[in-house]
Amino acid sequence: MGKGRVCLAYSGGLDTSCILRWLLEEGYEVVCFLANVGQEEDWAAVEQKALKIGAKKMIIEDLRREFVEELCFRAIQCNAIYEGRYLLGTSLARPVIARAQMRAAQQEGCDYVSHGCTGKGNDQVRFELAFYTIQPTIKIIAPWRDPKFFTRFAGRNDLLEYAAKMNIPVTSTKANLLIDANFAHTSYEAGILEDPNHTPPSDMWLMTADPLTAPNEPTEITLHFEKGIPVKLVTPDGELKDSVELFRKLNEIGYIHAPAMTILRLAHLDLEGLVLDAQVRSLRDQFVTHNWSIYLYNGMYFSPEREFIENSLLFSQKRVNGEVKLRCYKGNAYVLGRSSSTEKLYSAEEASMDSLDNFSPVDTTGFIGIQSIRLKKYGLQKAEEGEKLSRA
C-alpha cells in the first residue's frame, strides 16, 4: 500500500527531477506542479519529462497576472526594497506559487506537499510558512532536510549519477549556477558567484544586456499611474493597458536598458514627490515600506502584520495619480518630467519665485523665530561646555 499522494513543486531541473524519482521509490504517488510566473520555459517538455519519470499528473498554472497585479504592483506602490539593494524579485513570486500549489494539492486530494528548496536557503521558509498558514494540517516533505535523502545525495555529482542511472535527462546551467527567473527579475547564485570578489561573466545575464553593447539610441516612454498602480504605458510602438502586457513590454525595453521593476519603482518614487503628502510619505517610508519588504523577504506574506500594514499602504496611495516621462538608456532610466491632472498638492504658481499670491514673506520671520528658540538654548549649552560651533 502506498504512503499517500504528494504535490511536488517541480521545475524540470536536476534537483526536482531526482526528488520526483526518489519520492516514487519511497512509495508515494506524485502530482507535479509548476507555476508560470513569467519565466521562459518549454512547458510541454517539462510536462513530458515529469510524466516520463513517473508523475501521475503534471499541473501547470499561469500565474502571471496574479503575480504582477497582486505582488509586483503592490511592491511598486510600496517602493519595496530590501537592505537598500534587493527589489525582492524571488520573494515576491513565492506567495503566489505557494498559494497555487496548495490549491492544486487540495484539488488533487494530496496528503503532502513537497519542494526542492535547499536546507540552507530561505525559500524553504517562505514556502512552508505559506503552506502551514493556508492549510495548518498539511504535511510537508522537505528532501534536503531529510537525512535519508541528503546522506544519499551529498551534492550535485551524486544527483547526476542517480539521474544517469534512472535515465533522467539533465541539462546544466552556465558555470553550474542556480538560476531563478520570473517576470520581476532573474537571480543567480552558487558556482563562481560564491566568491563575492569574482566578476560575473558578461554572458551570464538573461534579462539585461551589457551596457557596453547596448544600442546607442535611448527609448522614451510615459507611464500613467492610478492609486500608485501603473495603468498605461506609452512607447514609440503604441499604448498598452493590460497589466501583463505592460510588464512584458517594460522588460523588453529593460533588456537593453533597465528591467520593469527598476523602471516602475523609479517612476513611482518621482510621482509621489509631486502628489503625496510629505508626512504621509514619511510615515509610509518608515513603517510600511521597511516592514513590508522585510515581511516579504522573510516569508511572512500570509501574516496579520503584512495585512495590517498593507491597509495603510493602500490608504497612502489614494492620491498617487499622474504620469511620468522617462528616458531609458544603457542600463539606466531617467525621469524627464512628471504631471498630474487630478492632484493639486503642487502648484506651479505658489512655488514660483515670481508670485506672492497666498503667501507673505513676513510670515517666515515668525516661523524662524519660533523654530530658533530651542536651538538658541542648544547653542548656549554648547558654549557652556566650551565647544565652539563656529569652529572649522
Side-chain angles (χ1 to χ4, degrees), residues 270-277 319 338-353:
D270 229 74
L271 179 61
E272 283 191 329
L274 183 72
V275 301
L276 184 58
D277 178 85
R319 307 305 297 262
R338 78 292 292 156
S339 63
S340 177
S341 61
T342 60
E343 305 310 310
K344 308 304 180 187
L345 184 63
Y346 173 78
S347 166
E349 183 178 342
E350 291 179 356
S352 174
M353 296 297 179

Side-chain angles (χ1 to χ4, degrees), residues 244-300:
V244 173
E245 293 306 313
L246 182 154
F247 210 87
R248 187 204 311 278
K249 184 63 178 179
L250 281 176
N251 275 332
E252 286 180 13
I253 295 170
Y255 179 74
I256 56 173
H257 298 300
M261 289 295 286
T262 301
I263 297 172
L264 288 170
R265 185 173 185 273
L266 173 65
H268 181 262
L269 275 166
D270 229 74
L271 179 61
E272 283 191 329
L274 183 72
V275 301
L276 184 58
D277 178 85
Q279 292 303 312
V280 172
R281 182 174 186 172
S282 177
L283 288 168
R284 193 279 315 275
D285 289 349
Q286 291 178 67
F287 301 109
V288 178
T289 298
H290 176 71
N291 287 301
W292 194 91
S293 301
I294 290 174
Y295 297 154
L296 264 289
Y297 185 83
N298 289 331
M300 294 291 177

Side-chain angles (χ1 to χ4, degrees), residues 76-77 222-232 263-269 271 317 320-324 326 340 342:
I76 296 304
Q77 288 179 300
T222 301
L223 279 162
H224 296 250
F225 289 84
E226 291 180 5
K227 296 183 178 180
I229 293 174
V231 295
K232 184 167 72 170
I263 297 172
L264 288 170
R265 185 173 185 273
L266 173 65
H268 181 262
L269 275 166
L271 179 61
Q317 297 297 292
V320 183
N321 306 304
E323 59 186 72
V324 183
L326 302 103
S340 177
T342 60

Side-chain angles (χ1 to χ4, degrees), residues 111-179:
D111 308 288
Y112 307 83
V113 289
S114 183
H115 57 76
C117 301
T118 69
K120 285 185 175 181
N122 44 24
D123 264 348
Q124 59 185 332
V125 178
R126 293 168 182 152
F127 278 118
E128 293 186 30
L129 290 179
F131 293 153
Y132 283 132
T133 308
I134 294 168
Q135 185 177 323
T137 59
I138 194 64
K139 291 175 282 187
I140 297 172
I141 299 173
W144 285 115
R145 299 203 310 271
D146 184 339
K148 190 173 183 180
F149 183 87
F150 68 69
T151 54
R152 180 178 177 184
F153 304 105
R156 185 176 178 82
N157 288 335
D158 291 337
L159 292 175
L160 288 169
E161 288 179 11
Y162 181 71
K165 180 181 176 182
M166 296 295 173
N167 295 315
I168 299 172
V170 296
T171 56
S172 60
T173 61
K174 298 175 182 178
N176 291 330
L177 298 175
L178 297 177
I179 299 175

